[in-house]
Amino acid sequence: MSTSSPDRRLARGVQRITSSALGPYQSAVIRIGFSTTYLLFLLRELPHRHEMYGPDSPWGWDMGKQLISGNEAFSALMWSDSTVWFEIVYVVALLSAALLMVGWHTRAMSVLFMVGVLSLQNRSIFLGDGGDNVIHLMAIYLVLTRCGQVWSLDARRAARGVSPEGAGDSRPVRNVAGTVLWAVLGLVLVAGSVTDGFGGTWWLPTVFWVLWIGHGAWWAVNRYAPQSEPRALLDVIANLVHNATLVVIMAEVCLIYATAGWYKVQGSRWQDGTALYYPLKLDYFTPWPALSDILASNGVMVMMLTYGTVIVQVAFPFTLFNRRVKNVLLVAMMCEHAGIALLLGLPFFSMAMIAADAVFLPTVFLVWLGGRVTLGRQLLFSPAGRVPEQRRSGEEEAPQHSGTGGHTLVG
């Protein structure tokens, strides 16, 4: 009896990670958070886009071409030095971020979002900060996740029984938009492969071709054999990739905080508790000079915030298996980033880090938050004097898979 118990636990564990995509709410928050962050960034820089990434950039197109050919990076902006092509790529980046945020054809939009992020950031790698690096990585990771299970237009269609993927018992419907989008992306992929537009590497076009063929196979199986064994196999593979990527995202966040904390420990200004004072006195990082002066003049507060930042960043990876302590530090880190956005004028860096932290938010809290948002939407858009009806259990917000949807580190 005792010898078979570990086998049963192992079997249950294997069944859970293969039968369901874990952390559906966490992955949805990451999708919404990063796409919103990049969308707002692109909108803010819309008047300056030519100077940052386009034909008027100090880092000219020829220089960018040499740099990218040397570091074997990818940027669709290097396919042509035409202003029209630059505008097309920028608009695609904007639209893909907006459509990924609302979860419209999430799989395809996640690929386009990644292409937009890589194209713009690799065009001018000397721009940006740590938040851009986080968006760069997460844009790649989102492609491998099933981040549209909840809080998306795809989930809404699936809940109404008209899923374009034919999930569950839903009757597959003709998905014209998805088919056209897949065909157009295929033509772009062929053109990029023929013209060697993927940075001179073999692995990047291979990844794009695998994703494109995988999307086509997924659609074909869902369309013509939704209850077949190939459909179940594709579902298992998708769940495994999603769950593995979710673990990588968690590890990435822990690595960011661990390295940042331990590097701070070695700094003399962090050791004597004065590190926070200096950025508060830099004009470049003081959008609210009066507020920065008030905080900088309080030596005790500066010391407490300096030491508290180091303690929280170093300690966080060691608290993941204690939910209560983890949640307390999680709130502290999010408040820290909110303070950075306010005091140092780095809103997009803070938004990116808060979105990354969201992978550790408890599922119960996210479900409650989703319910409050839904209730507020019903109150806002319902006719005057009419009490919104209670949503049926699991309608639209329930993940379209079996299993509890929780996670040992995020639940």
Side-chain angles (χ1 to χ4, degrees), residues 85-159:
W85 175 245
F86 167 76
E87 298 291 358
I88 290 174
V89 174
Y90 200 91
V91 169
V92 168
L94 270 170
L95 291 178
S96 62
L99 294 176
L100 181 63
M101 178 182 64
V102 299
W104 184 78
H105 292 280
T106 310
R107 291 194 184 99
M109 288 305 109
S110 65
V111 176
L112 285 179
F113 178 72
M114 177 186 69
V115 170
V117 170
L118 298 184
S119 296
L120 293 175
Q121 290 189 353
N122 289 340
R123 170 63 177 85
S124 300
I125 63 175
F126 301 107
L127 296 176
D129 51 31
D132 295 279
N133 295 332
V134 176
I135 294 175
H136 192 103
L137 293 172
M138 294 300 174
I140 299 175
Y141 296 151
L142 280 174
V143 174
L144 304 176
T145 63
R146 308 185 75 172
C147 55
Q149 299 176 97
V150 298
W151 298 342
S152 67
L153 296 180
D154 291 342
R156 181 184 291 264
R157 285 194 301 268

Side-chain angles (χ1 to χ4, degrees), residues 218-370:
W218 187 276
W219 176 87
V221 171
N222 281 324
R223 176 69 180 173
Y224 299 107
Q227 305 298 331
S228 63
E229 291 185 2
R231 171 64 173 80
L233 177 60
L234 289 177
D235 208 39
V236 168
I237 294 174
N239 290 335
L240 286 174
V241 173
H242 168 93
N243 294 333
T245 304
L246 201 62
V247 173
V248 172
I249 292 175
M250 294 178 184
E252 187 76 41
V253 175
C254 291
L255 185 62
I256 290 173
Y257 283 117
T259 53
W262 285 109
Y263 271 114
K264 288 181 175 66
V265 168
Q266 302 174 45
S268 59
R269 299 307 180 196
W270 291 95
Q271 293 175 4
D272 60 25
T274 61
L276 184 62
Y277 173 83
Y278 298 98
L280 293 175
K281 289 298 182 179
L282 295 176
D283 293 337
Y284 187 76
F285 292 108
T286 53
W288 312 98
L291 184 60
S292 298
D293 290 340
I294 293 175
L295 181 59
S297 63
N298 191 325
V300 175
M301 182 62 67
V302 168
M303 182 184 66
M304 291 178 60
L305 291 176
T306 301
Y307 286 149
T309 299
V310 177
I311 293 172
V312 168
Q313 291 183 352
V314 172
F316 179 73
F318 300 100
T319 65
L320 294 183
F321 294 97
N322 188 314
R323 294 184 180 182
R324 292 183 179 179
V325 178
K326 180 262 293 183
N327 291 337
V328 171
L329 291 187
L330 193 60
V331 172
M333 289 192 302
M334 289 184 172
C335 292
E336 172 193 337
H337 290 303
I340 291 174
L342 177 65
L343 294 173
L344 302 184
L346 297 172
F348 298 109
F349 166 79
S350 298
M351 289 178 65
M353 291 308 303
I354 291 174
D357 294 341
V359 72
F360 295 106
L361 287 174
T363 301
V364 174
F365 168 74
L366 292 176
V367 173
W368 174 85
L369 181 63

Side-chain angles (χ1 to χ4, degrees), residues 367-377:
V367 173
W368 174 85
L369 181 63
R372 298 304 94 190
V373 172
T374 300
L375 181 60
R377 184 184 62 190

